[in-house]
Amino acid sequence: MDTATPAVTVALHDGTSVIASSGQVDARRHGELLLPAVDRVLAEAGTELDAVTGLVVGVGPGPYTGLRVGLVTAATFGSALSVPVHGLCTLDGLAYAAGLEGPFAVATDARRKEVYWARYEDARTRSGEPAVDRPADIAEALAGLPVVGAGAVLYPDAFPDPRGPEHVAAGALAALAAERLAAGQELLEPQPLYLRRPDAQVPKNYKVVTPT
């Protein structure tokens, strides 16, 4: 599952292929949409939650509120089912789904007129760590490269060669995770990759009122 972008996406994978999936794009309703999506995917596959033997969750980068919905849900399921929970960079899932051969970049909407982005040598190989920047500040560094994701669509002046998909799909995350696990590679811990502080913060001059 992944809730790091406006897409709320869930998939069930049997180790070989995706057998059911769901995706809805709504940046404000991650908490409302995720559990019904899980139920829908399980029903489509004709199975129950207790048949799940492992979970993969997108760790971002992404906005704080949406991202934590998927991470908390995955952790809860993992604890209830006593199964492992693996993390995977959301940008890696987009790169994998794009399937491009040569160098390219992935960019998602980070709000505040910024993008979360990373550069890739191919669909499976990221070069460097994800970052958050203003599109104009990285346009020269990515000049001539295709850019996958909604960030490229939002800022065409900085990224003139946008490619799909715009949003991550859980099926791609699951397939990439299954491939890496089969190869004996370790996946990430299911911890959020925020890259910056949350939008919501306690006011600096917050006045504490105590009873007398």
Side-chain angles (χ1 to χ4, degrees):
M1 63 184 68
D2 192 293
T3 58
T5 74
V8 178
T9 177
V10 177
L12 191 64
H13 196 281
D14 64 3
T16 302
S17 60
V18 175
I19 56 176
S21 63
S22 172
Q24 295 173 270
V25 177
D26 191 326
R28 298 181 180 275
R29 298 177 62 218
H30 293 85
E32 297 173 47
L33 297 175
L34 183 57
L35 290 180
V38 171
D39 289 340
R40 190 162 53 249
V41 165
L42 291 171
E44 181 183 334
T47 191
E48 301 292 334
L49 183 61
D50 59 9
V52 172
T53 57
L55 293 120
V56 175
V57 60
V59 300
Y64 176 80
T65 304
L67 180 55
R68 67 178 179 173
V69 170
L71 288 163
V72 170
T73 302
T76 302
F77 283 160
S79 178
L81 299 171
S82 297
V83 299
V85 181
H86 305 287
L88 200 63
C89 175
T90 298
L91 302 182
D92 289 359
L94 268 166
Y96 185 80
L100 300 180
E101 294 294 333
F104 64 95
V106 172
T108 60
D109 183 17
R111 304 175 186 172
R112 303 184 191 175
K113 298 182 179 180
E114 294 178 329
V115 293
Y116 297 117
W117 70 280
R119 182 170 175 149
Y120 291 79
E121 297 306 316
D122 55 51
R124 293 171 175 82
T125 310
R126 172 162 38 89
S127 54
E129 296 300 317
V132 58
D133 289 288
R134 290 184 177 273
D137 294 340
I138 58 174
E140 184 175 347
L142 301 183
L145 296 181
V147 181
V148 174
V153 177
L154 285 170
Y155 302 100
D157 289 345
F159 312 122
D161 187 8
R163 304 289 181 92
E166 285 190 35
H167 301 294
V168 69
L173 282 174
L176 178 58
E179 185 178 292
R180 289 180 174 176
L181 288 171
Q185 300 178 27
E186 290 189 9
L187 300 185
L188 301 175
E189 292 295 318
Q191 299 297 324
L193 184 60
Y194 291 132
L195 300 187
R196 67 184 183 202
R197 295 178 63 83
D199 291 333
Q201 298 182 32
V202 176
K204 292 181 179 179
N205 296 322
Y206 182 74
K207 183 178 180 181
V208 177
V209 178
T210 56
T212 57

